[in-house]
Amino acid sequence: MNPNVTALPTSPLARCLVALACGLLALGPAQAEPGVTNDTITLAQTTTLSGPLGDLGQDVHKGAKVFFDALNARGGVNGRKVVLQTVDDAYDPKKTVANVEAVISANDSLALFGTFGTPNNEALIPLAQKAGLPVLMPYTGAPSIRKPEFKAVFNLRASYGDEAEKLIQHLTTIGFKKIGVVYQNNSFGKEVLAAAQAALEQRQLKPVAVASVENDASDAAAAAAKLLAAQPDALVLGLAGKPTIETIRAVNKTRKGLQMYALSVLATPGNLKTLGPDGTGVAISQVVPFPNQGTLPIVREYQQAMKAAGHAEVSHLSLEGYINAKVAAEALRRAGRNLTRESLVAALSGLKNHDVGGMEVSFGRGGASASKFVELTVINSQGKLVK
């Protein structure tokens, strides 16, 4: 008998156990990581492609898709192409929850990416936390999803608090003290109101008037009347979509030229077009660099990618989507070929002082924003944004 050859077991039970072990080895790992195959990485996205904020969601999604498409054309991440599975929730939190429950049930996505809206993310994050599903770059600046205890929730954009602080800082610096605040009557608007009030309080100020507007903008005229009765120097608009447009129009009917300051959610091409002459002079805070000036490397890269993809128009929104995708891809790369949810979370948590091309991001602080970038733009008489 050859001493180098191991004898096979002879008992029926032993032979059965060997066969079982061989079968398990042939099958490979008992369960692959959700959303990861030999050649693909699947990210799931529920966002608003229709409904009251559909144009915002479409533009942000466009930028992310342009990045991922270009990335995949170059071979993807560590030999895998990134698949972004996107479904519409029309900015309806109930649809958002149903979409995320379907993702969790299917167990075929590595993480959620680019989920849209304050009430929507507030509804989905508890589900994702319970399922161990990372949430990457949600589109909202709400403090409610930036809690330190949130694990595997990675906010990139500056918060609404950061935007409100920038607006109030600017207004008080130029000498305005009688500041009115109008907010949307939902969780988004209420959080903007709270952030604006906190920023004013830091400067020993209070709003001279506060008014709310419903999502359908049916009471925009009444809100404008209430605010203007207080004779404010300027207004901060914690509004999105139709409520913003109708409130600006109502204010202009009575007091044309009053300084109005809005958050980044206003700056969609559709909104600017709809506003027309009413938009002239409205200031808007932005959480990404100016997309029309190629002074920063990230903006030049984005402009080239958009042009190559056949998109003639650029915007802050699609640039934000592009940056979100670029940072997500960097984390996927750092997580390595043996990609898991755990390694992705570790890679993102370790992404600190990372230069995206003129814009720095730092994670690793719970749900806090990775970026504090905020700058102001203004709508000119041609309906275009200028710095």
Side-chain angles (χ1 to χ4, degrees), residues 12-374:
L13 178 59
R15 286 197 299 270
C16 181
L17 290 173
V18 169
L20 178 61
C22 290
L24 290 173
L25 287 172
L27 288 173
Q31 183 178 355
E33 192 70 8
V36 180
T37 70
N38 286 334
D39 53 10
T40 62
I41 301 166
T42 299
L43 302 177
Q45 180 183 37
T46 176
T47 188
T48 175
L49 301 177
S50 62
L53 302 182
D55 55 345
L56 276 80
Q58 289 174 27
D59 221 18
V60 178
H61 175 261
K62 181 196 298 181
K65 187 176 186 302
V66 164
F67 178 87
F68 284 134
D69 286 349
L71 176 71
N72 290 337
R74 300 192 301 268
V77 180
N78 297 327
R80 295 185 176 103
K81 293 188 175 181
V82 179
V83 178
L84 182 60
Q85 291 187 341
T86 303
V87 289
D88 183 19
D89 57 29
Y91 195 55
D92 181 345
K94 291 181 180 178
K95 291 181 180 178
T96 300
V97 166
N99 290 343
V100 172
E101 286 176 339
V103 169
I104 294 170
S105 177
N107 199 36
D108 60 359
S109 298
L110 180 68
L112 292 171
F113 170 85
T115 49
F116 187 100
T118 296
N120 312 74
N121 277 289
E122 286 175 344
L124 73 86
I125 283 176
L127 299 175
Q129 294 270 286
K130 186 176 180 180
L133 186 64
V135 180
L136 315 184
M137 295 72 180
Y139 184 90
T140 171
S144 58
I145 66 163
R146 285 167 165 74
K147 297 177 181 178
E149 63 266 27
F150 280 165
K151 306 300 180 185
V153 176
F154 295 95
N155 292 288
L156 198 158
R157 68 176 355 246
S159 70
Y160 293 141
D162 295 326
E163 290 192 65
E165 165 64 29
K166 182 70 174 182
L167 296 180
I168 299 300
Q169 177 193 54
H170 173 77
L171 286 167
T172 54
T173 298
I174 62 177
F176 289 173
K177 294 184 177 180
K178 295 178 65 179
I179 300 167
V181 181
V182 56
Y183 67 98
Q184 201 148 328
N185 191 23
N186 62 10
S187 54
F188 154 71
K190 290 173 183 177
E191 289 180 338
V192 175
L193 170 63
Q197 288 174 322
L200 285 167
E201 188 175 337
Q202 289 175 7
R203 294 161 175 84
Q204 290 76 51
L205 296 172
K206 292 182 178 181
V208 294
V210 172
S212 66
V213 178
E214 296 300 322
N215 290 331
D216 62 3
S218 58
D219 54 352
K226 178 181 178 181
L227 292 162
L228 294 178
Q231 294 294 308
D233 296 328
L235 296 178
V236 171
L237 313 178
L239 306 168
K242 186 178 180 181
T244 325
I245 294 166
E246 295 305 320
T247 300
I248 291 172
R249 286 175 172 169
V251 169
N252 282 338
K253 284 181 180 179
T254 303
R255 194 174 162 189
K256 183 73 174 176
L258 176 65
Q259 291 291 301
M260 288 181 274
Y261 288 74
L263 275 70
S264 53
V265 292
L266 172 62
T268 70
N271 282 345
L272 299 183
K273 182 178 180 180
T274 302
L275 275 171
D278 278 308
T280 303
V282 175
I284 304 173
S285 56
Q286 305 289 354
V287 297
V288 295
F290 199 69
N292 299 87
Q293 294 179 354
T295 54
L296 296 180
I298 183 59
V299 177
R300 292 196 296 272
E301 176 189 324
Y302 155 79
Q303 289 174 340
Q304 292 166 5
M306 291 289 282
K307 183 178 180 180
H311 299 299
E313 292 188 354
V314 296
S315 70
H316 286 88
L317 290 162
S318 57
L319 174 56
E320 182 171 350
Y322 187 92
I323 292 172
N324 287 345
K326 184 178 178 69
V327 173
E330 175 62 18
L332 291 169
R333 183 190 68 79
R334 294 188 181 202
R337 179 67 187 174
N338 296 323
L339 179 61
T340 64
R341 288 174 175 170
E342 184 178 357
S343 67
L344 173 60
V345 168
L348 271 166
S349 298
L351 199 64
K352 298 177 181 178
N353 304 317
H354 177 65
D355 185 3
V356 186
M359 179 178 168
E360 187 177 280
V361 298
S362 289
F363 291 101
R365 294 173 291 122
S369 299
S371 169
K372 295 294 183 182
F373 183 95
V374 182

